[in-house]
Amino acid sequence: AQSVAQPEDQVNVAEGNPLTVKCTYSVSGNPYLFWYVQYPNRGLQFLLKYITGDNLVKGSYGFEAEFNKSQTSFHLKKPSALVSDSALYFCAVRDREDSSYKLIFGSGTRLLVRP
Amino acid sequence: DSGVTQTPKHLITATGQRVTLRCSPRSGDLSVYWYQQSLDQGLQFLIQYYNGEERAKGNILERFSAQQFPDLHSELNLSSLELGDSALYFCASSFSGTGPYNEQFFGPGTRLTVL
């Protein structure tokens, strides 16, 4: 069965510092991996995805994520956090072998960037 | 703005009632997905339609049903509503024409409150 774990309910970081939001996944085949962000009272916004190739993926708003197959992880990173990055972040996975295109989401991690 | 529209934004109803949520996908997107976001269950995939036909089913209750019309808009019907059905319901769309790695674009959601 496919699953995604986001082990931290909340991540606190000071503005200007690097941030990491952790994600590990479990799929029977090879994964497609995604990060989404949700601002209050808004829908989910796509940030970035891993399909194949380079393990470091760059996305919107300066975010990047590193795919690590041996650790089955896809951590979201940003070199310098902004207060406006404060939001709810979701990691999602899709199994390439799954004929359905559905996304399986993690439980979400709230990022709080303090000034 | 993702290009996916959902109506209504808010819906308040009573137990036992039936409601219909509507979604219009991005122009050109053939796939529509429905997700439920609740505090206890997180973000869960309900059902997917592709070009008018059901493609995949997730954790969708038998009291819930959906359809996708020829103009590609979709409706999610929730009946015999219970208190536990109170949640944020998201619609997402994707092109899907070239493969399952295309990201999904989410609408702003419909917040359903069952009293």
Side-chain angles (χ1 to χ4, degrees):
Chain A
Q2 304 168 52
S3 65
V4 177
Q6 293 182 243
E8 302 152 316
D9 289 337
Q10 183 161 313
V11 169
N12 298 305
V13 64
E15 188 172 33
N17 283 0
L19 70 88
T20 299
V21 182
K22 295 179 181 177
C23 170
T24 59
Y25 65 90
S26 174
V27 298
S28 55
N30 291 310
Y32 296 117
L33 294 156
F34 303 80
W35 275 100
Y36 284 83
V37 60
Q38 185 179 25
Y39 296 99
N41 302 314
R42 303 280 294 274
L44 278 75
Q45 281 180 244
F46 168 74
L47 277 180
L48 51 80
K49 66 183 176 184
Y50 171 79
I51 303 171
T52 188
D54 195 348
N55 289 342
L56 186 63
V57 178
K58 294 190 183 297
S60 307
Y61 313 120
F63 284 94
E64 56 190 30
E66 187 166 12
F67 171 63
N68 187 317
K69 188 171 183 177
S70 62
Q71 296 186 4
T72 61
S73 67
F74 190 56
H75 301 331
L76 182 69
K77 301 183 181 187
K78 188 173 182 181
S80 178
L82 300 172
V83 172
S84 57
D85 292 330
S86 298
L88 190 54
Y89 289 80
F90 289 95
C91 181
V93 68
R94 182 188 293 142
D95 189 339
R96 292 170 199 244
E97 313 305 319
D98 187 351
S99 59
S100 151
Y101 292 179
K102 67 180 183 289
L103 291 172
I104 303 299
F105 284 90
S107 54
T109 298
R110 189 164 299 281
L111 174 66
L112 185 59
V113 182
R114 59 186 186 277
Chain B
D1 184 1
S2 68
V4 179
T5 60
Q6 289 186 249
T7 56
K9 286 190 75 171
H10 302 276
L11 203 46
I12 301 175
T13 188
T15 54
Q17 295 297 305
R18 173 189 167 96
V19 297
T20 297
L21 314 183
R22 185 188 166 103
C23 167
S24 293
R26 293 187 320 155
S27 176
D29 284 356
L30 301 179
S31 274
V32 169
Y33 309 78
W34 287 97
Y35 293 86
Q36 179 194 58
Q37 185 179 32
S38 61
L39 283 175
D40 54 345
Q41 299 284 335
L43 249 174
Q44 293 219 325
F45 168 75
L46 295 178
I47 197 164
Q48 178 203 358
Y49 277 81
Y50 176 77
N51 204 19
E53 300 209 353
E54 183 183 304
R55 172 70 69 92
K57 252 183 176 177
N59 299 321
I60 188 166
L61 299 171
E62 283 194 15
R63 300 183 285 108
F64 296 0
S65 65
Q67 54 184 326
Q68 186 179 27
F69 295 86
D71 67 352
L72 300 178
H73 91 271
S74 177
E75 293 181 355
L76 180 67
N77 300 296
L78 315 176
S79 61
S80 303
L81 285 167
E82 302 175 0
L83 296 178
D85 298 328
S86 296
L88 197 49
Y89 291 84
F90 286 112
C91 169
S93 75
S94 70
F95 176 54
S96 300
T98 52
Y101 49 79
N102 292 320
E103 58 270 28
Q104 295 174 18
F105 292 87
F106 283 74
T110 293
R111 183 169 295 282
L112 174 66
T113 302
V114 182
L115 300 175

